[in-house]
Structure formats: C-alpha cells, structure tokens
Amino acid sequence: MRGTAAEDPGAATAPGGALLVVGDVVTDIVARHRGPLAPSTDTASAIRTLPGGAGANVACWAARQGDVEVRMLGRVGADAAAWHERELVACGVRPRLVVDAQAPTGTVICLVDTGAAAERTFLTDSGAALRFDPEDWSDELLDGVARLHLSGYLLFSEPSRALVEVALAAARARGVPVSLDPASAGFLVELGVDRFLALVEGIDVLLPSRDEACLLTGLPDPADAAAKLSRHVPLVVAKQGADGALVARSGTVLAHVPALPATPTDTTGAGDAFTGAFLAALLTGTAPEEAAREGCRAGAMAVERVGGRPPAVSA
C-alpha cells in the first residue's frame, strides 16, 4: 500500500473524503471503586452500562471534531444492535453494523480505581466483535473514503484477520492510507510480536501505546521504540498518556507533544480519543505534529469523563 501514502502518510487526502473505521463495538460495564478490591465480600462501587469498543470510540471522537464524515463498520449481536446504532448516530457517526445471529454483543467489564491515576483493568468477552469475516466486507465501503482505520482487536481472531487482509488489499488498490491501533498489550503477547508485525505489513500509520511500542520492539525506552517502529511503518505516533505523544518517521522521533493538564476520573478510552481526534485532524490537512496536539486535547477530555465516548452531539 504505497502511492501518495508512502510519500507522506500524514498528508492531507482528497477534500471531503470520509474516515472509515472498522473494528469492535461492545458494551462497557464500568465499575468505579476506591482502593483494592475486597476478595470474598463486597466492594462498594459506582456502576454504569455504557457503549464502548476501541473502534467505535475512535469513530465517535473523530466525529466530534465536526469537520469530517465518519463511518463505522462493526459486528454486534441482536441483543444490543439497535441501542449501539442509536448511540453511534447520536455521536455523529454513520454506522453499518452486521448483526450476528449466533453470538451476543461483546462485553467489557472496566474496573476503575478512583484513586488519583484512575487506572483501569479490563475483563473482556469480545463476543460478536471477533466474528468478523471477509463476507462482512464490501469494496463499496471505500467509496468516498480518504482514510481507513483498523482496530487492532481485529487481529486477535482468525476470521477477523482474514477481513483485515481483504480490507488492506482493497485500500491498496484505491490508494487509501490505512492506520491501525494495536489495541491491547495483553493480546499482543498472545498473538506474538513477529506475527503482529507481519500482519500489519503495508499500513501507513501505527498508533501504539507506550507499552505496546516497547513490547513490539523489545526496547525499554518509548522514544527508542517509536523510532525503531518507524523504520517499518512510515508514520508512528506513540501515545504516552500523561507524558503526551511521540511522532516518529524514518527511524527518528520528530516531535514530543506534551499532554494537557487533566484531573483523571476514568482513563478508559483515552487512547481511542487521541486516535480519533488525530485522524480527524489529518483528514482536514493538519500536519502530524499538530494532529497529535489535537489528540492530546481529546485524551485530556476523555480522562475527565466516565466511559470511552465523548458527549453525544445532541448533549
């Protein structure tokens, strides 16, 4: 997948082109508790059921920027399809949800410690989200699309890996640049670093977290890791949480973009917020370093909210 994307993967694409996100749409059950969980008894918590999924969150934060059309291809169970469609539309996203007749919508239990860092732990049942297959794809999905973004969760099952292969081939044929967020350091360990790097061969933009960048390279320093990854992927933007973001290209870190001050409430979806705002900014012609600043702004907003989504457009 090269052409114009190889020359500058962060360059502006055709005016009016849409962002197509392909990835997971899941139901988040967010339980916010203070201090350690108490085994064999009760732990007082504030619990909410919210729409989530890394791919869907990215789409919603991209749409929040207001200047780009955002489309979403996801796979859900019949149990929650209508609700998820309404929630995506409310955030300004144009969804195309494949309804799985056999598996329920994926569910993630997010355990959030309400201490100063608001760190979270995920218990994940991906359900229908990992049952994507090539039949869910149509090349017509790329009509009018200027950028394609793939959630890394697609790489963690055989059927959805096959979908990724088909989508990448279609994007290559049309010269549409492709970005990918590795999604989960834990699942990356299970998949294997070498296998992951082979599967993402030919993408244009990689957006790993600090832990994912270090895992993928075996390097302890995130700047070194981002630089090394950018020898394999034209543009690497490594998300560093409270330390901002690193922008790397051709083996060199070009910028360290600082984070914005924020008081964390729930860090769920902060990386998705960064990715969505970053990609939306690229679509409007913004250079990667400034697009990363937009990502940091969105990330700061995200950590001050419960759940992984921005407010609905009508809110």
Side-chain angles (χ1 to χ4, degrees):
M1 171 195 291
R2 286 299 176 251
T4 57
E7 295 165 10
D8 185 354
T13 43
L19 169 67
L20 171 63
V21 179
V22 182
D24 46 318
V25 179
V26 306
T27 300
D28 283 346
I29 300 174
V30 181
R32 301 176 63 238
H33 61 94
R34 180 171 292 280
L37 297 173
S40 303
T41 186
D42 296 314
T43 300
S45 305
I47 300 175
R48 293 178 63 185
T49 300
L50 299 167
N57 293 344
V58 167
C60 290
W61 282 99
R64 185 187 179 279
Q65 302 305 105
D67 296 325
V68 298
E69 177 189 342
V70 182
R71 308 173 189 174
M72 172 81 207
L73 174 64
R75 188 178 180 102
V76 296
D79 57 312
W83 178 59
H84 278 293
E85 182 170 10
R86 287 195 303 271
E87 291 293 332
L88 287 165
V89 170
C91 282
V93 176
R94 292 178 54 188
R96 176 170 172 175
L97 300 182
V98 178
V99 179
D100 193 309
Q102 299 180 1
T105 303
T107 301
V108 176
I109 298 176
C110 310
L111 304 176
V112 182
D113 188 334
T114 57
E119 286 299 333
R120 72 278 191 275
T121 300
F122 296 147
L123 303 176
T124 302
D125 178 354
S126 296
L130 287 188
R131 287 167 52 84
F132 264 119
D133 63 48
E135 292 185 4
D136 296 329
W137 177 262
S138 166
D139 288 356
E140 293 178 356
L141 289 166
L142 291 175
D143 290 349
V145 167
R147 285 186 176 272
L148 169 65
H149 178 72
L150 303 172
S151 169
Y153 282 105
L154 294 169
L155 300 178
F156 302 135
S157 79
E158 194 60 46
S160 54
R161 282 194 289 271
L163 170 71
V164 167
E165 184 178 356
V166 170
L168 280 172
R172 287 190 187 98
R174 297 199 185 197
V176 174
V178 181
S179 55
L180 184 138
D181 186 326
S184 168
F187 285 157
L188 275 178
V189 171
E190 295 181 23
L191 180 66
V193 169
D194 290 343
R195 191 176 187 191
F196 173 85
L197 293 174
L199 288 168
V200 302
E201 176 69 29
I203 67 164
D204 302 277
V205 184
L206 185 68
L207 296 123
S209 69
R210 181 202 330 257
D211 290 345
E212 292 157 2
C214 292
L215 175 63
L216 288 170
T217 59
L219 298 174
D221 182 79
D224 292 341
K228 183 175 181 179
L229 284 171
S230 72
R231 298 188 186 102
H232 303 283
V233 178
L235 179 64
V236 172
V237 182
K239 297 171 285 187
Q240 308 290 296
D243 292 327
L246 301 167
V247 180
R249 195 198 303 264
S250 302
T252 302
V253 173
L254 302 178
H256 181 185
V257 179
L260 274 66
T263 302
T265 297
D266 176 7
T267 56
T268 303
D272 303 332
F274 179 102
T275 296
F278 174 83
L279 293 174
L282 287 187
L283 270 176
T284 62
T286 305
E289 181 176 347
E290 185 56 38
R293 296 186 194 281
E294 292 298 322
C296 287
R297 291 187 186 97
M301 289 184 56
V303 300
E304 294 185 333
R305 294 179 52 78
V306 175
R309 300 274 181 91
V313 173
S314 58

